[in-house]
């Protein structure tokens, strides 16, 4: 299902440039090659059959969520809480004309840990890398990659076109139904009109009806489009703008990745003073993160170059490059 979409009809003063995101089966994309060719080069890709063996692929239907967790109150979107049964009714009744709710605030470890066994064995491509490191400051540490549940009905969508905070990469794995992604490269940032006071979110909220009077440069942006289905994971590189729209009732999970190559950008973002000027605490933080990055890099390199060696086994947990290395020996 390699889907390249038609150009949206309302953006046709100039035909938009549309490129389809490549799809590669996991058997043809070893993890190390994924890291080298896509993560390190900051290019999007879809991995097919990325999480073979997940029970979720068999069991996570809308009815399952309604029947098993229906009485649980969840945060659906910013500040909106509802029983999951009501959310699922809205999702199932959703249409393109009258979209229902889009659930995007459930952190699985925190809010619905009973779901975790169905996501095992781990999707290697979604391994969070430096987010697992005990050297990562506590505020940013996310050993689960911030594993999130996303559920929506036909026409539902993630509320904002955005790029992820922390300069993080994201990977979204579709479990049930189909979802369309439209991505824009960081170089096209000016053409997607970031909010002035929130530079990681775009003012454009409907890619199929872009107001060219307000956003005249939008047609200059290249759209990377793809529809993913069950078992497929889309890799969204750091600083790539993305929007997600449900094609058929959809359940998916999302995680973030912090790799050596997006570390420098993470330091810049997290040590920025929003009001400008010098702040000693931010300088100290920058120095800590720079030093931690060097140490992590050395530990990662030992694991890559001397796999199985004593230092790799003893130190790997400080910056694991694969799920096996995560535990302290
Ligand atoms: O809804 C989606 O699939 C996109 C999720 C996403 O971009 C996010 O959680 O930051």
């Amino acid at each position: 299902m390699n889907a390249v979409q038609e150009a949206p009809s309302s953006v046709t003063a100039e035909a938009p440039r549309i490129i389809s995101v490549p799809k590669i089966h996991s058997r043809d994309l070893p993890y190390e090659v994924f890291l080298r060719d896509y993560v390190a080069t900051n290019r999007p890709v879809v991995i097919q059959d990325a999480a073979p063996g997940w029970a979720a692929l068999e069991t996570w239907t809308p009815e399952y969520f309604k029947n098993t967790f229906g009485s649980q109150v969840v945060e659906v979107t910013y500040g909106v809480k509802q029983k999951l049964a009501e959310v699922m009714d809205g999702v199932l009744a959703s249409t393109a004309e009258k979209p229902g709710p889009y659930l995007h605030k459930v952190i699985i470890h925190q809010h619905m840990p009973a779901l975790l066994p169905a996501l095992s064995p781990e999707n290697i491509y979604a391994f969070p890398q430096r987010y697992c490191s005990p050297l990562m400051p506590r505020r940013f540490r996310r050993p689960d990659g911030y594993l999130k549940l996303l559920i929506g009905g036909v026409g539902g969508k993630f509320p904002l076109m955005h790029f992820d905070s922390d300069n993080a990469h994201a990977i979204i794995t579709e479990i049930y139904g189909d979802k369309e992604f439209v991505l824009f490269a960081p170089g096209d940032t000016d053409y997607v009109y970031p909010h002035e006071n929130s530079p990681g979110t775009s003012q454009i909220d409907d890619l199929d009806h872009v107001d060219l009077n307000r956003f005249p440069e939008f047609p200059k942006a290249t759209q990377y489009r793809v529809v993913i289905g069950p078992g497929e994971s889309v890799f969204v590189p750091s600083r790539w703008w993305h929007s997600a729209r449900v094609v058929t009732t959809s359940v998916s999970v999302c995680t973030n990745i912090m790799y050596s190559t997006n570390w420098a950008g993470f330091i810049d973002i997290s040590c920025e003073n929003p009001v400008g000027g010098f702040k000693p605490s931010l300088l100290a933080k920058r120095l800590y993160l720079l030093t931690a990055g060097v140490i992590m890099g050395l530990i990662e390199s030992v694991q890559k170059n001397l796999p199985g060696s004593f230092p790799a086994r003893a130190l790997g947990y400080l910056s694991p490059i694969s799920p096996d290395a995560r535990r302290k020996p």
Side-chain angles (χ1 to χ4, degrees), residues 289-313:
L289 290 174
L290 282 169
T291 311
V294 171
I295 296 170
M296 288 171 178
L298 288 171
I299 293 169
E300 289 156 7
S301 146
V302 170
Q303 292 170 84
K304 270 179 221 148
N305 297 313
L306 299 169
S309 66
F310 174 71
R313 281 184 285 115

Side-chain angles (χ1 to χ4, degrees), residues 115-128:
L115 292 175
L116 288 170
L119 300 177
S120 175
E122 193 165 346
N123 176 356
I124 177 75
Y125 301 95
F127 181 59

Side-chain angles (χ1 to χ4, degrees), residues 104-296:
H104 65 97
K105 296 293 277 181
V106 168
I107 305 300
I108 297 181
H109 277 86
Q110 198 179 335
H111 304 124
M112 297 180 79
L115 292 175
L116 288 170
L119 300 177
S120 175
E122 193 165 346
N123 176 356
I124 177 75
Y125 301 95
F127 181 59
Q129 295 273 347
R130 289 187 177 184
Y131 274 128
C132 303
S133 169
L135 301 176
M136 188 68 154
R138 197 169 288 279
R139 182 164 101 70
F140 298 102
R141 206 178 305 155
R142 299 171 178 173
D144 66 345
Y146 218 62
L147 178 65
K148 246 191 324 192
L149 178 66
L150 303 156
I151 302 181
V154 175
K157 60 180 184 174
F158 194 83
L160 291 163
M161 178 148 87
H162 66 287
F163 61 78
D164 282 15
S165 55
D166 298 356
N167 200 45
H169 303 299
I171 189 150
I172 298 114
T173 302
E174 192 68 11
I175 291 172
Y176 179 92
D178 297 315
K179 190 155 56 172
E180 182 191 35
F181 285 83
V182 186
L183 276 56
F184 298 89
D188 280 353
T189 291
D190 287 348
Y191 307 142
V192 299
Y193 296 86
H195 280 110
E196 220 163 279
N197 56 359
S198 170
T201 62
S202 164
Q203 297 179 60
I204 297 172
D205 61 3
D206 182 354
L207 284 171
D208 290 338
H209 303 95
V210 176
D211 180 348
L212 293 182
N213 294 317
R214 281 183 70 201
F215 309 119
E217 304 264 87
F218 174 73
K220 291 186 183 164
T222 301
Q223 307 185 14
Y224 291 75
R225 287 190 172 234
V226 73
V227 175
I228 60 169
E232 295 184 328
S233 293
V234 60
F235 171 66
V236 180
S238 70
R239 295 243 178 198
W240 277 66
W241 296 89
H242 51 287
S243 70
R245 188 176 58 87
V246 172
V247 179
T248 62
T249 305
S250 160
V251 179
S252 43
V253 292
C254 166
T255 50
N256 283 124
I257 300 170
M258 182 60 63
Y259 191 57
S260 51
T261 47
N262 52 327
W263 187 252
F266 162 65
I267 297 179
D268 285 342
I269 286 183
S270 56
C271 298
E272 223 167 42
N273 188 353
V275 291
F278 176 73
K279 210 172 162 197
S281 61
L282 287 177
L283 178 63
K285 185 172 165 190
R286 184 178 284 274
L287 289 174
Y288 172 79
L289 290 174
L290 282 169
T291 311
V294 171
I295 296 170
M296 288 171 178

Side-chain angles (χ1 to χ4, degrees), residues 37-148:
D37 290 356
Y38 295 96
V39 181
T41 58
N42 223 45
R43 291 190 305 141
V45 67
V46 170
I47 306 128
Q48 297 174 306
D49 203 14
W54 274 9
L57 290 162
E58 307 297 326
T59 54
W60 285 16
T61 60
E63 295 72 26
Y64 167 77
F65 282 98
K66 182 169 174 180
N67 297 336
T68 317
F69 300 99
S71 58
Q72 183 167 342
V73 175
V74 290
E75 185 175 0
V76 184
T77 186
Y78 311 106
V80 178
K81 290 192 172 176
Q82 239 182 330
K83 281 195 176 153
L84 195 54
E86 290 160 18
V87 179
M88 296 316 301
D89 286 342
V91 162
L92 289 168
S94 184
T95 61
E97 296 71 35
K98 205 159 177 276
Y102 190 82
L103 180 91
H104 65 97
K105 296 293 277 181
V106 168
I107 305 300
I108 297 181
H109 277 86
Q110 198 179 335
H111 304 124
M112 297 180 79
L115 292 175
L116 288 170
L119 300 177
S120 175
E122 193 165 346
N123 176 356
I124 177 75
Y125 301 95
F127 181 59
Q129 295 273 347
R130 289 187 177 184
Y131 274 128
C132 303
S133 169
L135 301 176
M136 188 68 154
R138 197 169 288 279
R139 182 164 101 70
F140 298 102
R141 206 178 305 155
R142 299 171 178 173
D144 66 345
Y146 218 62
L147 178 65
K148 246 191 324 192

